[in-house]
């Protein structure tokens, strides 16, 4: 007598292949729950009992160790769905519904395809035909129960984890510098070099206020930073290497260094490609935050100050005031507030005369509400006024600042020396350890002996390199602390304005010096620019800066210079006028000396009569006109002019002149000719006075 399961299997099903899907949720289950895996593989015997040859029973086990919560990344399940959709599968075998899918969307999609292709589904309880309403209803209920089971399991696990986290007893991976002791308590790393390295990072950030600046200083001082291997071979081992900005930010953002226990700092979300990614959660939304849960490197107040500073360093997008100094020659970048709307003002650069000139603009209204910008101020005048105020305020205290700088340099050098000495001690220990390993090996075992000898030699080379670098750094640092260096610092402090104006002082360094003393600056543009400076500590000062003149007024030649040019043109050429102006110390709007072309430009712009026009008004004649009047050639007139027999007046170069008309006199012709003779002469008439 045929069973109900056998009655559902027809010839059309047997003509197609059988597919057995095998899955375990994790690799740990694959290795530990071996009995479940054996039960799944045993379903091949069920397929053979229903009439399928063993060679046509295909096992899909490529998804072992993958969760069934979703179909993505499960290549085996995707392959199974493809075979069902193409009508190649007569039956799909699985130990239970949860092995095939834990998601109703994936499960019902498989049922729909199986119903359309007349594919049977078999589990441990029996055979089901998705085309049958009763069987499909039962399979749907099993899928819902499978999804609910996963939800219940996850809820229980998450509830237990959260409850343990609320008590602060949940063991989470600790960052470098913190470890668990024998009683499970969080303590500082017993390795002194590790502790000192982490403490130094927070101390340097306390001074510089920037993660990038911290990394640059540690790289300059050649200080190595520790990290621990989290997984794989060598898990828990301590490695030393250079610090990058990403790791520095991770350390600065981690509340464990402030002695706080935090849980739920990140959550799983899905991106546009529906792939799970980690998203940061704001501090006020953390499920668990227990302050002073264990010993830390900084206190909670300093941790919050660090977070505030890091948000400021993000720039304009963070909406914070006083960002870190960046590129560009705008002195007040990141510290300007609009006096009309209270928002931060941005910096805009325009190229003028080959140089980038800063403009401070408030674009909040235009960007947020498509309105008009509040105000736009030329930056040079404001920068100069604030710089002058800063120099006037800082100069009396410059000596004290210089002494503080010397002490800070000495302290910094001492700390760097301690770090490098610790690195030398660790390298020496590792070299000695490699020597001991090599000494204990059997000399006849050359494979092991050669490897240990090579490791010993490598440790010795690293130790020698560190020693040479340590000696070089010591020499460089001693040069920074010798008497001449201290004297130079003191001299520079006495002449702080010269240091500020020195071309070797970069704009970035000026902005850093300004940020130490000035909190922010508020601008209000009107007929003049009102500048309100708020110093560190709360003291305020106000300035009034004249607006820069328009370029048309800047280029305009002063009236007294125009008047002088007009007077000089009565007796001088353009070249002579330029020479006279330079003798008197006059310059154009760019500070350049005058030339013939510049005088011509001024003369044309102000419609002054030229030297030629003035001479013509006085009745002067050209060479051609004089030759026609006297009845000689033009060359004869020029020759008489060069000899001084005819009065001439220059209006250009030596070849551009006009002649005074003769009032009388006699022109005596010479013999002329190519071979010489007496030249023509002009005898002026005797005076009648």
């Amino acid at each position: 007598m045929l069973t109900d399961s056998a009655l559902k299997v027809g010839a059309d099903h047997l003509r197609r292949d059988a597919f057995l899907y095998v899955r375990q949720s994790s690799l740990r289950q694959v290795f530990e729950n071996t009995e479940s895996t054996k039960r799944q593989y045993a379903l091949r015997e069920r397929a053979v009992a229903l009439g399928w040859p063993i060679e046509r029973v295909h096992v899909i086990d490529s998804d072992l160790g993958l969760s069934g919560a979703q179909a993505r990344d499960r290549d085996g399940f995707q392959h199974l769905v493809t075979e069902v959709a193409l009508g190649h599968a007569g039956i799909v075998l699985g130990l239970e519904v949860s092995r095939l899918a834990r998601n109703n969307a994936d499960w019902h999609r498989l049922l729909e395809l199986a119903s359309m292709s007349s594919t049977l589904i078999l589990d441990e309880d029996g055979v089901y035909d998705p085309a049958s309403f009763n069987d499909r209803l039962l399979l749907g209920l099993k899928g819902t129960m499978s999804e609910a089971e996963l939800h219940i399991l996850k809820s229980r696990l998450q509830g237990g984890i959260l409850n343990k986290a609320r008590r602060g007893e949940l063991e989470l991976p600790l960052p470098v510098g913190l470890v668990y002791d024998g009683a499970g308590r969080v303590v500082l790393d017993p390795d002194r070099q590790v502790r000192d390295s982490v403490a130094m990072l927070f101390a340097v950030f306390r001074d510089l206020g920037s993660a990038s600046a911290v990394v640059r200083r540690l790289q300059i001082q050649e200080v190595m930073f520790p990290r621990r291997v989290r997984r794989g071979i060598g898990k828990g081992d301590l490695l030393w290497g250079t610090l990058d900005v990403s790791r520095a930010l991770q350390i600065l953002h981690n509340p464990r260094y402030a002695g706080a226990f935090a849980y739920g700092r990140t959550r799983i979300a899905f991106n546009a490609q529906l792939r799970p990614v980690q998203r940061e959660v704001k501090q006020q939304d953390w499920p668990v935050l227990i302050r002073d849960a264990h010993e830390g490197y900084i206190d909670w107040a300093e941790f919050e100050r660090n977070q505030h500073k890091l948000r400021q360093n993000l720039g304009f997008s963070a909406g914070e005031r006083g960002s870190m100094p960046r590129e560009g020659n705008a002195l007040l970048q990141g510290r300007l507030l609009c006096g009309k709307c209270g928002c931060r003002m941005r910096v805009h650069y325009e190229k003028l005369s080959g140089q980038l000139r800063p403009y401070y603009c408030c674009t909040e209204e235009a960007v947020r509400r498509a309105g008009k910008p509040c105000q736009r101020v030329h930056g040079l005048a404001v920068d100069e006024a604030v710089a002058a105020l800063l120099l006037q305020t800082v100069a009396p205290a410059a000596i004290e600042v210089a002494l503080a700088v010397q002490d800070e340099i000495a302290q910094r050098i001492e700390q760097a020396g301690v770090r490098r000495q610790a690195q030398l001690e660790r390298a020496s220990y590792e070299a000695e350890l490699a020597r001991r390993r090599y000494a204990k090996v059997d000399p006849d075992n050359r494979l092991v002996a050669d490897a240990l000898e090579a490791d010993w030699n490598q440790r010795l080379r690293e130790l020698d390199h560190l020693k040479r670098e340590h000696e070089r750094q010591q020499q460089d640092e001693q040069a920074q602390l010798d008497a001449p260096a201290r004297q130079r610092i003191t001299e520079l402090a006495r002449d702080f304005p010269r240091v500020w104006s020195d071309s070797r002082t970069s704009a970035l360094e000026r902005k850093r010096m300004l940020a130490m003393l000035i909190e922010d600056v508020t601008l209000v543009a009107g007929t003049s620019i009102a500048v309100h400076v708020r110093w560190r500590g709360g003291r305020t000062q106000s300035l009034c800066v004249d607006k820069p003149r328009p370029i048309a007024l800047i280029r305009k030649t002063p009236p007294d210079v125009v008047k002088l040019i007009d007077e000089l043109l009565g007796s001088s050429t353009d070249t002579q006028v330029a020479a006279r102006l330079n003798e008197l110390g006059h310059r154009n709007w760019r500070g350049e000396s005058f030339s013939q072309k510049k005088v011509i430009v001024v003369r044309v712009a102000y419609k002054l009569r030229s030297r030629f026009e003035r001479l013509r008004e006085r009745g002067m004649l050209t060479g051609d006109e004089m030759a026609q009047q006297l009845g000689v050639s033009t060359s004869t007139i020029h020759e008489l002019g060069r000899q001084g027999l005819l009065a001439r007046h220059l209006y250009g170069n030596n070849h551009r002149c006009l002649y005074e008309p003769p009032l009388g006199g006699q022109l005596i012709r010479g013999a002329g000719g190519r071979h010489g003779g007496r030249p023509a002469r002009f005898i002026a008439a005797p005076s009648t006075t």
Side-chain angles (χ1 to χ4, degrees):
M1 182 177 179
L2 296 176
T3 62
D4 183 63
S5 299
L7 291 175
K8 294 180 181 179
V9 178
D12 182 62
H13 300 119
L14 295 174
R15 182 173 51 83
R16 292 175 281 172
D17 293 345
F19 290 87
L20 171 61
Y21 183 77
V22 178
R23 186 187 65 80
Q24 289 276 53
S25 298
S26 64
L27 291 177
R28 182 175 180 179
Q29 292 181 0
V30 173
F31 288 107
E32 296 182 0
N33 300 348
T34 56
E35 194 63 33
S36 176
T37 306
K38 292 178 181 179
R39 290 176 58 199
Q40 294 183 64
Y41 281 111
L43 290 179
R44 287 180 296 184
E45 306 301 329
R46 293 281 302 275
V48 173
L50 291 174
W52 273 273
I54 188 65
E55 64 273 8
R56 289 176 55 200
V57 178
H58 305 287
V59 178
I60 301 176
D61 54 4
S62 58
D63 292 343
L64 280 171
L66 298 178
S67 173
Q70 53 192 3
R72 189 182 61 254
D73 298 331
R74 283 201 293 156
D75 296 335
F77 184 76
Q78 298 287 356
H79 174 63
L80 174 64
V81 172
T82 301
E83 296 294 337
V84 172
L86 294 176
H88 297 166
I91 190 171
V92 174
L93 300 93
L95 185 64
E96 55 191 27
V97 172
S98 62
R99 300 301 175 186
L100 289 166
R102 288 279 193 180
N103 185 294
N104 266 333
D106 299 334
W107 175 242
H108 283 282
R109 187 177 298 112
L110 176 62
L111 291 183
E112 184 69 24
L113 293 174
S115 174
M116 296 172 61
S117 61
S118 299
T119 302
L120 301 178
I121 294 180
L122 179 145
D123 66 6
E124 197 175 29
D125 296 330
V127 179
Y128 306 93
D129 184 4
S132 172
F133 174 78
N134 291 333
D135 287 358
R136 186 166 180 174
L137 178 62
L138 183 57
L139 290 173
L141 290 174
K142 285 192 172 188
T144 302
M145 293 174 62
S146 176
E147 187 176 26
E149 181 184 11
L150 179 63
H151 173 73
I152 293 172
L153 291 174
K154 290 176 63 175
S155 298
R156 290 175 179 172
L157 292 175
Q158 291 295 333
I161 292 174
L162 183 59
N163 190 47
K164 199 170 184 178
R166 286 170 178 164
R167 300 195 306 268
E169 300 175 358
L170 181 64
E171 287 195 8
L172 298 174
L174 295 175
V176 65
L178 296 172
V179 296
Y180 288 106
D181 64 2
R185 295 171 300 186
V186 179
V187 296
L188 301 185
D189 198 307
D191 192 323
R192 181 171 57 86
Q193 185 181 1
V194 174
R195 292 199 310 271
D196 293 344
S197 299
V198 176
M200 181 185 61
L201 186 146
F202 286 103
V204 174
F205 183 80
R206 196 178 301 122
D207 295 337
L208 302 180
S210 169
S212 300
V214 170
V215 173
R216 282 194 296 269
R217 175 175 291 185
L218 296 185
Q219 289 179 350
I220 292 173
Q221 296 178 350
E222 298 183 0
V223 176
M224 310 299 285
F225 201 81
R227 68 178 181 90
R228 291 198 180 275
V229 181
R230 294 297 181 187
R231 57 179 64 88
I233 300 176
K235 181 179 180 181
D237 290 350
L238 187 66
L239 303 179
W240 293 84
T242 57
L243 181 70
D244 55 22
V245 178
S246 176
R247 286 205 62 218
L249 288 173
Q250 290 177 0
I251 293 173
L252 292 170
H253 283 302
N254 198 328
R256 298 306 295 256
Y257 289 104
F261 176 86
Y263 177 77
R265 295 170 53 211
T266 59
R267 62 179 179 86
I268 299 297
F270 293 91
N271 58 14
Q273 290 76 31
L274 299 180
R275 293 187 175 276
V277 293
Q278 281 193 344
R279 304 289 189 193
E280 291 187 359
V281 179
K282 295 183 178 179
Q283 180 178 328
Q284 58 268 24
D285 298 329
W286 292 352
V288 179
L289 175 60
I290 305 175
R291 301 177 186 176
D292 300 326
H294 54 79
E295 186 180 2
Y297 288 87
I298 58 176
D299 56 20
W300 185 255
E302 183 175 352
F303 174 78
E304 290 187 329
R305 288 195 300 270
N306 292 346
Q307 305 313 300
H308 178 70
K309 189 62 179 178
L310 292 172
R311 287 194 299 270
Q312 287 182 337
N313 295 348
L314 291 177
F316 294 110
S317 59
E320 298 283 349
R321 300 178 180 177
S323 61
M324 285 296 295
R326 301 183 187 277
E327 297 77 9
N329 57 1
L331 181 64
L332 301 178
Q333 166 259 325
R335 305 205 166 269
L336 274 181
L337 302 178
C338 176
K340 296 182 178 180
C341 66
C343 298
R344 292 185 64 191
M345 300 184 72
R346 302 169 184 260
V347 181
H348 170 69
Y349 291 95
E350 291 184 5
K351 198 168 187 179
L352 181 64
S353 301
Q355 295 182 349
L356 290 178
R357 303 297 177 91
Y359 288 85
Y360 297 125
C361 314
C362 178
T363 59
E364 188 71 15
E365 187 70 20
V367 172
R368 302 296 181 187
R369 291 172 284 277
K372 294 182 178 180
C374 291
Q375 54 184 349
R376 174 186 170 94
V377 178
H378 195 285
L380 285 181
V382 178
D383 288 352
E384 292 174 358
V386 175
L389 178 63
L390 182 67
L391 293 177
Q392 179 183 355
T393 306
V394 172
I399 301 299
E400 297 180 3
V401 174
L403 297 177
V405 169
Q406 292 179 359
D407 294 340
E408 181 182 353
I409 293 176
Q411 183 180 4
R412 188 186 307 170
I413 290 176
E414 182 181 357
Q415 291 177 352
V418 172
R419 300 289 85 73
R420 289 195 301 272
Q421 186 62 37
Q423 292 178 9
L424 279 175
E425 293 177 3
R426 183 175 294 276
S428 177
Y429 167 74
E430 292 177 352
E432 178 63 20
L433 185 61
R435 186 195 67 78
R436 293 175 188 173
R437 291 171 180 168
Y438 175 72
K440 292 180 180 179
V441 71
D442 186 358
D444 295 333
N445 191 353
R446 297 308 308 167
L447 294 177
V448 178
D450 291 345
L452 293 178
E453 184 180 10
D455 181 61
W456 182 21
N457 292 332
Q458 177 65 25
R459 301 295 181 184
L460 291 176
R461 284 192 293 268
E462 293 176 357
L463 178 61
D464 182 63
H465 174 72
L466 284 177
K467 286 182 178 179
R468 291 198 302 269
E469 288 297 321
H470 182 60
E471 293 174 357
R472 182 183 62 82
Q473 286 282 349
Q474 279 186 328
Q475 294 175 359
D476 295 342
E477 290 168 353
Q478 289 301 325
Q480 298 180 21
L481 292 177
D482 58 6
R486 291 179 177 272
Q487 182 64 25
R488 286 195 300 270
I489 294 176
T490 306
E491 291 175 355
L492 290 176
R494 290 195 180 97
D495 195 8
F496 182 73
R498 183 172 63 86
V499 178
W500 178 272
S501 305
D502 196 327
S503 58
R504 293 171 294 180
T505 304
S506 65
L508 186 63
E509 292 171 343
R510 292 191 186 96
K511 284 186 275 190
R512 284 177 176 170
M513 288 187 282
L514 181 137
M516 295 178 182
L517 300 172
I518 293 180
E519 183 70 29
D520 53 48
V521 178
T522 304
L523 298 183
V524 180
T527 55
S528 60
I529 305 173
V531 182
H532 305 284
V533 180
R534 184 160 65 98
W535 298 87
R536 297 282 186 182
R539 187 170 66 93
T540 60
Q541 281 184 272
S542 297
L543 304 172
C544 188
V545 180
D546 294 332
K547 280 189 173 181
R549 294 185 301 163
I551 190 62
L553 295 179
I554 295 176
R555 292 183 175 182
K556 188 175 181 179
T557 306
D560 56 339
V561 177
V562 176
K563 182 179 179 181
L564 180 59
I565 293 175
D566 190 22
E567 294 175 356
L568 293 174
L569 285 174
S571 59
S572 307
T573 63
D574 293 333
T575 303
Q576 294 170 342
V577 170
R580 183 57 181 163
L581 290 175
N582 293 332
E583 290 177 3
L584 296 175
H586 294 290
R587 295 292 184 267
N588 69 347
W589 68 279
R590 288 182 175 174
E592 301 169 345
S593 59
F594 280 93
S595 64
Q596 179 190 11
K597 290 184 178 180
K598 291 183 174 66
V599 172
I600 294 174
V601 170
V602 175
R603 176 168 53 79
V604 172
Y606 289 92
K607 299 181 180 180
L608 303 179
R609 290 175 302 163
S610 64
R611 171 75 172 156
F612 178 82
E613 294 172 344
R614 296 168 191 258
L615 292 175
R616 292 292 286 178
E617 290 177 356
R618 290 163 51 186
M620 302 298 170
L621 301 178
T622 64
D624 294 337
E625 293 173 344
M626 181 69 80
Q628 185 179 4
Q629 182 176 348
L630 297 179
V632 294
S633 65
T634 304
S635 60
T636 300
I637 296 298
H638 293 325
E639 181 65 25
L640 293 174
R642 285 191 291 270
Q643 293 176 4
L645 299 177
L646 288 177
R648 65 174 186 171
H649 299 273
L650 296 175
Y651 66 88
N653 52 30
N654 291 332
H655 302 287
R656 296 179 180 272
C657 58
L658 294 178
Y659 298 91
E660 292 185 8
L663 299 177
Q666 182 181 4
L667 181 65
I668 301 176
R669 299 177 181 273
R674 176 176 302 178
H675 300 289
R678 296 190 310 274
R681 303 193 308 275
F682 184 82
I683 301 176
S687 174
T688 58
T689 59

